[in-house]
């Protein structure tokens, strides 16, 4: 509560935090012989069936047919890049541009504005096409960002998505800064940079939900996890957990912290002030047993009654 009074920068993960984290395949672009989109989706679904990543599950769901996993071998996940495996003896790569570049895959992708993650697919060293995986922004996210910006808190978004997708989401929500194409370790580095650049009393808040966000949640001055869609690791590392996954609750938490600080300050001033007055009265011979009781027990009761006001907090728009 004390730290929340000094938040100057609020940093957000994108997927599952500002967006719903529910993925659907919204577009399929095939460069295979005859432009067969169904064949491209089948290749992706067979390989991704070994992954538990939400994007992988959305691809398998979009395929909507039985999957013969015996056709896939040598499956391997490449951290922050994608996956690779052998399908019917042919090498398949599925992931981002970095994965293609590392394997020397030449590609030509339509450069159009769209909200979504692009999963590129290569088959035996040849670019085969891509799938656009869409994720919807939470209805509550724009309100959350507006409230924080209105309070003078700078908002930042960290995401592993492409620059194009990240900037589109940031623009739609009104986020001040966005850093894209980040690996989990890159997110920690960005938080380190923000913390080192701030004033001593200022605090950096980070909001995330995934297992990859756990190190960042632990490193930030204040870590907030989404309780509904959040992983156990993220929840364990966080200082605050939002049980209904609404980002606007962050603003509520800051308002509660400020409301509580006002009450605590009032109680301290009241307690010390009355005791100082009583001491002065005693020094001039105006003291009595009942005055001493009031200065001790009476002031404690007043402070307790005043503290009950914390329960009647009303959210400000």
């Amino acid at each position: 509560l004390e730290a929340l009074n000094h938040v100057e920068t609020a940093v957000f993960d994108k997927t599952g935090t500002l967006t719903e984290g529910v993925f659907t395949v919204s577009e399929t672009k095939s460069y295979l012989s005859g432009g067969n989109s169904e064949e491209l989706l089948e290749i992706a679904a067979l390989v991704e069936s070994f992954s538990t990543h939400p994007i992988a599950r959305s691809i398998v769901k979009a395929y909507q047919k039985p999957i013969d996993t015996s056709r896939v071998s040598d499956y391997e996940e490449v951290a922050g890049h994608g996956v690779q495996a052998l399908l019917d003896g042919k090498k398949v790569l599925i992931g981002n541009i970095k994965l293609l570049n590392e394997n020397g895959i030449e590609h030509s992708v339509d450069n159009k504005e769209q909200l979504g993650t692009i999963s590129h697919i290569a088959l035996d060293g040849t670019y085969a096409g891509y799938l656009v995986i869409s994720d919807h922004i939470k209805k509550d996210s724009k309100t959350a960002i507006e409230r924080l910006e209105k309070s003078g808190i700078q908002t930042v978004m960290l995401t592993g998505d492409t620059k194009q997708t990240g900037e589109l989401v940031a623009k739609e929500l009104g986020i001040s800064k966005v850093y894209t194409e980040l690996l989990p370790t890159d997110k920690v580095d960005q938080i380190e940079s923000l913390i080192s650049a701030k004033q001593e009393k200022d605090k950096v808040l980070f909001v995330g939900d995934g297992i990859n966000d756990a190190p960042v949640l632990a490193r930030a001055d204040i870590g907030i996890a989404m309780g509904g869609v959040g992983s156990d690791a993220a929840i364990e590392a966080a200082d605050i957990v939002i049980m209904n996954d609404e980002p606007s609750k962050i603003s509520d938490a800051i308002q509660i912290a400020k409301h509580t600080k006002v009450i605590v300050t009032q109680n301290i001033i009241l307690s010390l002030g009355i005791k100082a007055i009583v001491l002065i009265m005693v020094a001039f011979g105006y003291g009595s047993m009942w005055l001493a009781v009031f200065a001790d027990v009476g002031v404690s009761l007043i402070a307790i009654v005043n503290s009950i006001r914390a329960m009647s907090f009303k959210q400000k728009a």
Side-chain angles (χ1 to χ4, degrees):
L1 284 172
E2 184 178 1
L4 281 171
N5 278 280
H6 303 288
V7 173
E8 289 295 325
T9 306
V11 186
F12 293 85
D13 172 50
K14 182 180 79 68
T15 305
T17 302
L18 294 173
T19 64
E20 294 176 356
V22 179
F23 297 94
T24 55
V25 178
S26 59
E27 183 181 344
T28 304
K29 179 66 175 180
S30 175
Y31 292 98
L32 296 170
S33 176
N36 193 331
S37 297
E38 188 64 27
E39 183 183 353
L40 184 72
L41 184 59
E42 180 185 20
I43 293 170
L46 285 167
V47 174
E48 293 284 21
S49 64
F50 287 84
S51 175
T52 58
H53 194 281
I55 289 179
R57 290 200 295 265
S58 70
I59 293 174
V60 173
K61 183 178 178 181
Y63 183 53
Q64 295 183 334
K65 293 180 181 179
I67 292 177
D68 183 6
T69 55
S70 64
R71 296 172 59 188
V72 183
S73 60
D74 296 342
Y75 173 83
E76 180 185 350
E77 293 190 4
V78 185
H81 291 71
V83 300
Q84 62 182 31
L86 292 179
L87 175 63
D88 298 330
K90 298 180 180 179
K91 186 176 181 180
V92 178
L93 300 173
I94 305 177
N96 53 28
I97 290 292
K98 293 179 182 178
L99 183 65
L100 299 181
N101 292 339
E102 281 190 359
N103 288 271
I105 307 296
E106 295 184 2
H107 54 85
S108 176
V109 183
D110 295 334
N111 186 26
K112 59 181 180 179
E113 289 197 349
Q114 54 194 343
L115 285 175
T117 299
I118 299 179
S119 287
H120 300 279
I121 302 168
L123 183 63
D124 261 353
T126 303
Y127 188 66
Y130 65 85
L131 305 177
V132 179
I133 318 298
S134 298
D135 185 15
H136 301 289
I137 294 173
K138 291 179 181 177
K139 296 178 181 178
D140 189 61
S141 293
K142 191 172 182 64
T143 301
I145 300 301
E146 287 176 350
R147 287 183 183 176
L148 291 172
E149 291 282 352
K150 188 177 179 180
S151 301
I153 297 173
Q154 181 189 41
T155 54
V156 180
M157 186 176 76
L158 306 181
T159 177
D161 270 343
T162 62
K163 181 178 180 181
Q164 182 178 321
T165 300
E167 288 180 349
L168 278 171
V169 173
K171 182 179 179 181
E172 184 167 335
L173 294 177
I175 294 174
S176 303
K177 293 182 180 179
V178 57
Y179 299 92
T180 59
E181 301 179 2
L182 301 177
L183 297 175
T185 53
D186 296 331
K187 291 184 179 181
V188 177
D189 292 339
Q190 288 295 341
I191 284 290
E192 291 282 3
S193 299
L194 291 169
I195 290 175
S196 61
K198 70 180 177 64
Q199 299 293 325
E200 185 177 350
K201 70 173 183 177
D202 295 340
K203 302 296 180 184
V204 174
L205 176 153
F206 178 78
V207 193
D209 71 298
I211 189 170
N212 290 335
D213 296 325
V216 196
L217 287 164
R219 180 62 189 91
D221 295 318
I222 306 164
I224 299 181
M226 296 294 163
V229 298
S231 68
D232 292 340
I235 292 171
E236 182 72 23
D239 302 298
I240 300 170
V241 179
I242 299 176
M243 299 309 297
N244 62 1
D245 295 339
E246 293 181 1
S248 64
K249 295 300 180 185
I250 298 165
S251 177
D252 292 349
I254 293 172
Q255 289 182 24
I256 289 170
K258 293 181 182 295
H259 179 64
T260 304
K261 184 180 179 181
V262 169
I263 293 173
V264 171
T265 303
Q266 290 172 348
N267 283 346
I268 292 172
I269 294 173
L270 177 71
S271 300
L272 295 179
I274 291 178
K275 289 180 186 294
I277 292 171
V278 170
L279 284 172
I280 293 171
M281 291 177 67
V282 170
F284 285 95
Y286 294 102
S288 68
M289 178 62 72
W290 292 112
L291 188 62
V293 170
F294 170 74
D296 185 22
V297 179
V299 168
S300 296
L301 291 173
I302 293 172
I304 291 169
V305 172
N306 189 43
S307 297
I308 294 174
R309 290 176 49 235
M311 302 295 291
S312 61
F313 167 76
K314 292 183 179 180
Q315 175 189 328
K316 297 179 182 178

